[in-house]
């Protein structure tokens, strides 16, 4: 299985370029970061770690409910060149880092982890953390993502008084920040990999010996690392950045455990990414947007489980996927239920969610409940509810839209399964254009659901997806967390140039953009391979 494979480490650049499976010329970028490192730090780097961004084709905001999603890695990526400092000054703290970024707006940062012993309650199990790194979660800071990757390496590999190496590193990247293409996950994955490599931990597993770290292990580490920046994201972005394979999308499921399989994409159509140019940083807006949605879906799951009389542990944060499994009598140890069975149960759930509406609804479309109503519906005391659902995350809302969120999640989960089934059956389909039409329809339905039910779209994303459809896209939707960032459109191969021309001429913020500037904001993408490391010899 893809998640069990080791992280590829290359010592030959042509093998590495060949593995990326993209049409871009990567050589220039890799050479230039190596040269730039040499210029800035006076020696060659020891490693370059690469992690790509991703585009999500379908399945938005359902990964943290443990439903499967369908992203693909994109050609744009983050590279981190790293090397040990040969003669650390005596006053250098162990593991100190000089971090520079090729983009001049991101200034040089110097930091070091502080050794300390304290009980951590942020992990599932309470355990001793021996290191601490200050990460500012209130402000968007580029080095926070570098620190987040480092943090995981420190606490997983530097127990018992060992010291990490003092290093210099240089970051460069082509994934635009805050654009929904997962620049943050790419940064955290690349940083985790760079610190593992430079500390010679890449070949060892979590116990410090044994086989190489697997892709699945790296995903788990990167997910935990990214939480340190303040967002309780699911595992989609990290899994796509680590496990993706060229020319295919990746079906990632999280239940009963992380697994991933390649999904061939139908021929004759291309996915085009277009940036709305509304920057949405999910770390900064988390308490009103992203983290609030995580809490709303968890509360909805608890209330549904109560309504369906399913067993839930007193302090368990049961997810919507687990509720579906328990209702269907799925046995976790045996594995996930077959797709047809899951689709059936999802249909039933779309009826059961009526119980999430408030007792007295204040008008059509107003299905929100207050905090007090939500707690009462959960059957928990206020103290219990706050402890389980609100003590680990900061959220701010007067109304919680449990019904709408659950309706989106269940319908989106079934759209993902249908999308995947259509792709898998496409090869034997007598009519390729019908296949593409069916996929486009699911993408359009997903956009409507994201906008109306999950409320994670915004006027610019709605405008851009409408323009895309008018310009000939068969389907168009937002991709990633939303509230800004990019759209993804499915366009027939022969129509790509005309499509890009029409969208560029119509979407206001693109007016006046030409050549490179335009190709930065609207571009076709080919699924690329996942993260890897180049080792200088
Ligand atoms: C962000 C998160 C992902 C996922 C998407 C929405 O990208 O990092 O885990 O939840 O939003 O689908």
């Amino acid at each position: 299985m893809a998640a069990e494979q080791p992280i590829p480490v290359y010592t030959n650049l042509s093998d590495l370029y060949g593995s990326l499976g993209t049409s871009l010329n990567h050589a220039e970028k890799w050479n230039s970061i190596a040269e730039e490192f040499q210029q800035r730090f006076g020696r060659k780097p020891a490693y370059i770690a690469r992690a790509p961004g991703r585009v999500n084709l379908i399945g938005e905001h359902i990964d943290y409910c443990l439903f499967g999603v369908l992203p693909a890695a994109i050609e744009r990526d983050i590279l981190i060149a790293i090397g040990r400092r040969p003669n650390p000054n005596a006053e250098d703290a162990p593991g100190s880092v000089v971090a520079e970024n090729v983009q001049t707006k991101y200034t040089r940062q110097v930091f070091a982890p502080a050794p300390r012993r304290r009980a951590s309650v942020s992990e599932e199990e309470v355990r001793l953390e021996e290191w601490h790194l200050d990460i500012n979660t209130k402000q968007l800071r580029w080095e926070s993502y570098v620190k987040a990757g480092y943090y995981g390496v420190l606490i997983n590999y530097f127990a018992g008084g060992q010291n990490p190496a003092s290093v210099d590193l240089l970051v460069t990247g082509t994934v635009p920040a805050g654009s929904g293409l997962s620049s943050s996950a790419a940064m955290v994955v690349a940083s985790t990999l760079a610190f593992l490599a430079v500390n010679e931990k890449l070949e060892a597993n979590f116990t410090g010996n044994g086989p190489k770290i697997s892709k699945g292990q790296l995903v788990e580490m990167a997910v935990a690392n990214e939480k340190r920046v303040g967002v309780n994201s699911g595992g989609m972005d990290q899994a796509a950045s680590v496990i993706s394979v060229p020319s295919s999308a990746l079906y990632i499921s999280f239940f009963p455990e992380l697994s991933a399989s390649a999904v061939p994409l139908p021929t004759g159509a291309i996915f085009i990414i277009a940036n709305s140019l509304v920057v949405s940083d999910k770390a900064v807006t988390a308490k009103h947007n992203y983290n609030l949605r995580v809490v709303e879906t968890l509360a909805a799951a608890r209330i549904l489980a109560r309504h369906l009389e399913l067993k839930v542990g007193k302090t368990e944060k049961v997810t919507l996927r687990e509720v579906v499994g328990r209702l269907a009598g799925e046995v976790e140890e045996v594995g996930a239920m077959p797709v047809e069975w899951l689709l059936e149960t999802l249909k039933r759930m779309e009826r059961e969610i009526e119980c999430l509406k408030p007792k007295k609804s204040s008008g059509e479309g107003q299905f929100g409940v207050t905090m007090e109503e939500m707690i009462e519906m959960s059957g928990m005391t206020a103290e219990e509810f706050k402890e389980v659902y609100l003590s680990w995350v900061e959220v701010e809302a007067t109304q919680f839209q449990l019904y709408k969120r659950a309706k989106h999640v269940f319908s989106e989960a079934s759209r993902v399964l249908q999308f995947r089934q259509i792709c898998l059956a496409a090869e034997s389909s007598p009519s390729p254009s019908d296949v593409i039409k069916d996929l486009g329809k699911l993408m359009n339905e997903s956009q409507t659901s994201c906008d109306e039910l999950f409320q994670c779209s915004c006027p610019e994303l709605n405008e851009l997806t409408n323009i895309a459809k008018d310009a000939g896209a068969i389907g168009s939707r937002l991709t990633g967390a939303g509230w800004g960032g990019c759209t993804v459109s499915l366009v027939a191969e022969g129509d790509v140039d005309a499509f890009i021309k029409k969208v560029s001429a119509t979407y206001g913020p693109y007016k006046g953009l030409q050549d490179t500037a335009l190709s930065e904001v609207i571009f076709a993408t080919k699924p690329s391979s996942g993260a890897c490391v180049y080792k200088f010899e």
Side-chain angles (χ1 to χ4, degrees):
M1 212 209 33
E4 279 148 17
Q5 288 169 4
I7 306 295
V9 179
Y10 295 96
T11 49
N12 177 315
L13 277 173
S14 43
D15 289 351
L16 184 147
Y17 300 146
S19 77
L20 299 179
T22 66
S23 47
L24 297 185
N25 178 2
H26 289 273
E28 202 182 306
K29 209 165 61 180
W30 286 71
N31 288 339
S32 116
I33 188 171
E35 277 166 23
E36 188 75 28
F37 186 97
Q38 168 110 35
Q39 248 175 36
R40 294 182 186 218
F41 300 111
R43 63 189 190 282
K44 270 200 327 208
Y47 296 91
I48 298 179
R50 165 192 189 257
R54 62 97 192 94
V55 56
N56 190 20
L57 305 182
I58 195 153
E60 228 58 86
H61 288 278
I62 60 172
D63 58 346
Y64 48 82
C65 307
L66 302 191
F67 283 107
V69 293
L70 236 165
I74 57 173
E75 294 163 291
R76 294 174 180 235
D77 51 18
I78 302 285
L79 301 184
I80 300 186
I82 195 164
R84 286 175 182 239
R85 212 166 305 134
N87 304 306
N89 300 326
E91 64 272 17
D92 270 1
S96 68
V97 176
V98 174
E100 296 201 7
N101 197 310
V102 168
Q103 287 197 45
T104 44
K105 67 175 173 186
Y106 299 129
T107 55
R108 173 189 169 103
Q109 301 292 322
V110 180
F111 53 87
R116 75 172 190 199
R117 297 189 74 82
R118 72 175 184 110
S120 158
V121 281
S122 60
E123 304 294 318
E124 284 295 307
E125 38 161 338
V126 177
R127 67 161 175 230
L128 285 183
E129 264 187 13
E130 298 190 12
W131 296 95
H132 177 72
L133 260 176
D134 258 338
I135 298 183
N136 188 336
T137 55
K138 300 274 176 263
Q139 233 185 26
L140 180 57
R141 300 201 54 91
W142 78 271
E143 76 279 9
S144 296
Y145 298 93
V146 176
K147 288 180 176 175
Y150 191 17
Y151 215 130
V153 176
L154 288 168
I155 61 164
N156 284 298
Y157 289 89
F158 287 93
Q162 279 183 68
N163 280 336
S166 290
V167 301
D168 298 322
L169 65 84
L170 177 64
V171 178
T172 189
T174 46
V175 194
S179 67
L181 298 179
S182 233
S183 57
S184 45
M187 276 288 282
V188 174
V189 168
S191 157
T192 310
L193 266 182
F195 283 103
L196 283 170
V198 81
N199 283 294
E200 284 158 23
K201 304 291 184 189
L202 203 52
E203 316 270 320
N205 66 17
F206 285 150
T207 57
N209 49 46
K212 291 179 179 179
I213 177 172
S214 72
K215 293 184 178 181
Q217 285 172 319
L218 177 62
V219 171
E220 275 162 27
M221 225 171 133
V223 172
N225 289 349
E226 204 170 327
K227 290 202 175 26
R228 299 181 189 282
V229 191
V231 184
N232 287 278
S233 66
M236 166 169 74
D237 306 347
Q238 299 79 0
S241 182
V242 174
I243 311 176
S244 285
V245 288
S247 314
S248 303
L250 199 67
Y251 174 68
I252 306 170
S253 63
F254 304 92
F255 185 86
E257 63 194 0
L258 175 74
S259 69
S261 55
V263 175
L265 290 170
T267 50
I270 303 277
F271 289 96
I272 311 262
I273 293 173
N275 193 334
S276 70
L277 295 177
V278 175
V279 174
S280 166
D281 178 59
K282 61 181 188 303
V284 174
T285 59
K287 66 179 173 185
H288 305 114
N289 293 340
Y290 196 93
N291 286 351
L292 175 60
R293 297 297 186 272
V294 175
V295 169
E296 284 174 321
T297 57
L298 284 172
R302 161 75 62 169
I303 295 166
L304 268 167
R306 180 174 186 231
H307 161 80
L308 295 165
E309 299 179 356
L310 302 171
K311 230 174 142 189
V312 178
K314 224 172 156 35
T315 57
E316 183 189 356
K317 289 200 215 57
V318 70
T319 59
L320 287 169
R321 173 64 181 80
E322 285 161 323
V323 169
V324 167
R326 284 176 208 183
L327 179 65
E330 186 179 35
V331 182
E332 252 180 63
E333 293 70 33
V334 178
M337 64 179 116
V339 172
E340 292 306 333
W341 188 8
L342 181 52
L343 280 166
E344 267 307 297
T345 322
L346 285 169
K347 246 193 228 142
R348 170 165 174 200
M349 295 312 292
E350 289 193 44
R351 297 191 299 272
E352 299 292 355
I353 55 177
E354 289 297 313
C355 73
L356 298 173
K357 289 182 180 169
K359 289 202 187 89
K360 281 185 263 133
S361 188
S362 47
E364 191 51 33
Q366 299 302 309
F367 296 132
V369 295
T370 62
M371 173 78 85
E372 290 67 36
E373 284 172 315
M374 177 164 71
I375 295 175
E376 198 206 316
M377 289 158 86
S378 75
M380 298 167 98
T381 65
E383 290 67 40
E384 282 165 353
F385 187 93
K386 288 185 179 153
E387 180 55 33
V388 176
Y389 291 108
L390 302 169
S391 61
W392 47 283
V393 70
E394 201 189 336
V395 296
E396 229 175 71
T398 48
Q399 294 278 307
F400 297 82
Q401 299 287 347
L402 309 181
Y403 170 76
K404 287 185 179 176
R405 308 306 182 231
K407 192 167 173 154
H408 165 79
V409 170
F410 292 133
S411 61
E412 186 78 351
S414 87
R415 280 187 286 273
V416 171
L417 295 173
Q418 293 169 53
F419 197 100
R420 174 169 171 253
Q421 280 178 327
I422 296 172
C423 290
L424 292 174
E427 263 176 348
S428 50
S429 162
S431 168
S433 65
D434 283 351
V435 166
I436 293 168
K437 260 193 219 139
D438 290 345
L439 296 180
K441 186 164 167 267
L442 289 168
M443 289 173 73
N444 292 336
E445 285 169 11
S446 167
Q447 171 60 26
T448 307
S449 183
C450 284
D451 180 32
E452 294 174 4
L453 298 173
F454 216 73
Q455 297 175 296
C456 61
S457 191
C458 66
E460 293 82 353
L461 284 170
N462 290 344
E463 186 191 351
L464 194 49
T465 50
N466 286 332
I467 290 176
K469 282 183 275 178
D470 290 345
I474 306 151
S476 185
R477 56 183 299 282
L478 64 86
T479 184
W483 297 289
C486 288
T487 59
V488 55
S489 301
L490 184 63
V491 178
E493 211 160 12
D495 297 345
V496 170
D497 290 344
F499 170 82
I500 293 185
K501 233 179 168 171
K502 275 193 202 147
V503 175
S504 332
T506 321
Y507 185 55
Y510 290 177
K511 297 241 163 86
L513 295 183
Q514 272 169 357
D515 307 328
T516 322
L518 190 61
S519 62
E520 282 296 308
V521 296
I522 180 164
F523 52 90
T525 187
K526 243 176 102 183
S528 144
S529 61
C532 67
V533 169
Y534 177 73
K535 183 175 180 182
F536 287 80
E537 290 192 309

